[in-house]
């Protein structure tokens, strides 16, 4: 019998949870195809929370709203550290 007094950590690979890197890529492409500056638009969305910074073209607005804004920042920072400092981010 297991000890019911201890808390166990359980992490799921939640089905349907979008990969943040893929979300950024899809939104970036949709913004670029529509002629917007993708970096400026995504930063505007992250800073304000206003989804109208993101085009609805290719469902980009719906896609980006499936992830939290802090997750977008975290992914961008993780990638920057990996590339700029050539150090893989370790959690």
């Amino acid at each position: 019998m297991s000890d019911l007094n201890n808390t166990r950590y359980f992490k799921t690979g939640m089905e349907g949870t979008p990969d943040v890197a893929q979300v950024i890529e899809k939104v970036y492409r949709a913004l670029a195809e529509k002629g917007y500056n993708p970096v400026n638009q995504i930063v505007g969305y992250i800073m304000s929370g206003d989804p109208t910074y993101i085009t609805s073209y290719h469902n980009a607005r719906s896609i980006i709203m499936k992830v939290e804004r802090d997750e977008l920042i975290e992914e961008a920072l993780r990638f920057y550290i990996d590339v700029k400092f050539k150090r893989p981010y370790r959690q």
Side-chain angles (χ1 to χ4, degrees):
M1 186 152 109
S2 65
D3 184 357
L4 299 177
N5 294 322
N6 292 329
T7 301
R8 295 179 184 251
Y9 178 75
F10 181 76
K11 186 174 182 180
T12 65
M14 291 174 32
E15 211 172 290
T17 303
D19 178 66
V20 179
Q22 289 177 347
V23 167
I24 294 170
E25 181 180 2
K26 288 178 182 178
V27 171
Y28 181 95
R29 289 178 187 272
L31 288 163
E33 284 180 28
K34 289 301 282 181
Y36 295 108
N37 179 319
V39 173
N40 287 349
Q41 296 305 114
I42 293 170
V43 168
Y45 169 70
I46 291 171
M47 297 295 292
S48 70
D50 183 355
T52 61
Y53 277 95
I54 307 301
T55 182
S56 58
Y57 182 68
H58 288 309
N59 294 319
R61 188 176 298 155
S62 297
I63 292 167
I64 202 166
M65 291 175 64
K66 290 181 181 181
V67 297
E68 297 293 326
R69 290 180 294 148
D70 64 320
E71 292 177 284
L72 297 169
I73 295 169
E74 189 176 313
E75 179 66 24
L77 184 57
R78 185 178 293 131
F79 182 79
Y80 180 84
I81 290 169
D82 287 354
V83 171
K84 184 72 173 180
F85 303 119
K86 297 175 180 41
R87 296 182 191 142
Y89 172 82
R90 292 189 179 91
Q91 198 167 2

